[in-house]
Amino acid sequence: MTRRLAIDGGMPLFDEPRHVGGPNIVDIPAVLERIEGVLRSGWLSNRGPEVQAFEARVADLAGVAHCIAVTNGTIGLEIAIRALGMTGEVIVPSWTFVATAHALQWQQITPVFADVDPSTHTLDPVSVERMITPRTTGIIGTHLFGRPCDDDALRDIADRHGLSLMYDAAHAFGVARGGRPVGSLGDAEVFSFHATKFLNTFEGGAVVTDDDDLAHRIRLMTNFGFEGKDNVTYVGTNGKMNEVCAAMGLVQLDSIEQTVAANYERYLAYERGLAGLPGVHLLPYDDDARSNFQYVIAEVDDAVAGLTRDALVATLEAENVLARRYFHPGAHRMEPYRSLQPHAGLLLPETERLAAATLALPTGLTMSLSDVDGVCSIVADAVSAHRAIGRPDARLTA
Ligand code: T4K
């Protein structure tokens, strides 16, 4: 017997909101202790011992020689783009968080949007190659939702056309592709350690690379261009991570295996709970890739499910489940790109389709397994209620 959904006047299944992006924090006492040590040390910023230790561990996990810890992923993208000498046009997905495109536009570089492969939600190499013009200087792929880009194909394109290849790895810390850790794939890669990410340092990020000269430039740019106490050799900004964030990161690094295990358990619970549901399926994880399982992404085929993605999100919201329509409507439909490139969508059929069909479901340490079961039951009830009526948006328009 189907429960009366909250959107139809029933009681919400959850009293308190269940969020996408709830922070993963395994050991709060250890965080507090380490932060107290920083506060007592008298050294709070400017690449102190915590940042240096954090950088060494991130570089090691990413399988690269250099890590430069930064204030957030967006600053990391901006600095890496500049340090790589990208100008003119750079090819990026539209199917990503808008920061990927903004990091280019912010420095008067045109983001040219390429389409994605729907099986991974990452750049489609065929579409990338089509977008290359004489003004193209680089490619930035996003390892979206922790799914690594097709690095072999993108590297081949970049090499043949003499382009820089960089990755927005905001979602992919701890991920590996065919045994190679994310971080070691592009000329440079950028992690985000925002509160909502797999590894969080409150706010934070890192640029990682194997290239000694590039790392040197990035480090200078992150600290106003200072090379020594009063010697400025480069135009720079202030992108430095502080000691408290690094302390948080160091404690969090100790528990990444636990976080992966918890995420994986929740992913499997969603897989079980949604199995066989008509028109709703999860974006699978590639068996060949090591993952952090940080994102549970569902796609709704409204013709089969009997309800649209938006109707499902509204149904969940009424039950206090705050799923997100990441990354609707696609960067090309956000300003300033919508005005500057009004026809971009014509070449992005998969992006347009995914933008209408995809939602992120709450997972991570703030969600219990029974919470996950509850979310699955709401989805199942919503699908059966809508299929019974046969009108995809019935409850939104009622
Ligand atoms: N590239 C990609 C592919 C990215 O996804 C991001 C960031 C970046 C680059 C840039 O990295 P950073 O510069 O941020 O380091 C959030 C985050 O602010 C953003 O970091 C993240 N991507 C993006 C996917 O999500 P919003 O606008 O969705 O944030 P908000 O406030 O709506 O929160 C998202 C969810 O998380 C909500 O359900 C509430 C929950 N939440 C959030 C915070 C801050 C918590 O439960 N606790 C918290 O402390 O952008």
Side-chain angles (χ1 to χ4, degrees), residues 56-285:
R57 284 184 67 184
V58 170
D60 187 45
L61 282 165
V64 290
H66 306 281
C67 166
I68 299 98
V70 290
T71 43
N72 58 62
T74 306
I75 282 280
L77 287 169
E78 288 168 7
I79 292 175
I81 286 164
R82 200 176 175 110
L84 279 165
M86 291 182 177
T87 57
E89 294 176 3
V90 171
I91 298 168
V92 286
S94 165
W95 190 234
T96 178
F97 188 57
V98 73
T100 325
H102 276 356
L104 292 162
Q105 188 74 30
W106 189 255
Q107 25 203 354
Q108 285 80 48
I109 300 167
T110 303
V112 173
F113 298 114
D115 212 0
V116 290
D117 173 347
S119 69
T120 60
H121 290 215
T122 63
L123 274 180
D124 171 5
V126 175
S127 173
V128 168
E129 192 134 25
R130 271 194 208 128
M131 301 298 175
I132 293 174
T133 75
R135 297 190 68 225
T136 309
T137 59
I139 302 167
I140 305 178
T142 300
H143 305 306
L144 201 72
F145 306 134
R147 275 69 174 186
C149 292
D150 184 348
D151 177 60
D152 301 317
L154 294 176
R155 172 56 67 194
D156 175 57
I157 295 171
D159 287 351
R160 277 191 286 108
H161 294 272
L163 307 174
S164 300
L165 176 62
M166 183 182 136
Y167 291 112
D168 177 339
H171 297 182
F173 186 67
V175 173
R177 178 177 190 269
R180 291 172 64 206
V182 162
S184 65
L185 303 180
D187 299 332
E189 300 205 47
V190 180
F191 296 118
S192 165
F193 303 129
H194 180 262
T196 54
K197 296 296 186 285
F198 167 66
L199 180 93
N200 93 76
T201 61
F202 306 112
E203 290 266 5
V207 187
V208 291
T209 179
D210 250 338
D211 180 328
D212 299 347
D213 292 339
L214 182 64
H216 182 64
R217 284 199 298 282
I218 291 170
R219 202 171 278 297
L220 292 180
M221 286 180 171
T222 304
N223 186 29
F224 314 102
F226 272 107
E227 197 160 13
K229 279 206 173 91
D230 46 20
N231 182 30
V232 171
T233 60
Y234 232 88
V235 64
T237 183
N238 181 358
K240 291 172 274 115
M241 178 179 274
N242 67 58
E243 290 288 283
V244 167
C245 290
M248 170 77 158
L250 283 164
V251 177
Q252 297 278 76
L253 280 170
D254 289 339
S255 50
I256 52 177
E257 293 310 325
Q258 268 166 279
T259 310
V260 173
N263 283 346
Y264 185 52
E265 244 186 322
R266 283 148 187 76
Y267 173 73
L268 292 180
Y270 270 116
E271 226 181 27
R272 278 193 305 274
L274 301 177
L277 209 59
V280 178
H281 75 268
L282 291 182
L283 178 64
Y285 280 95

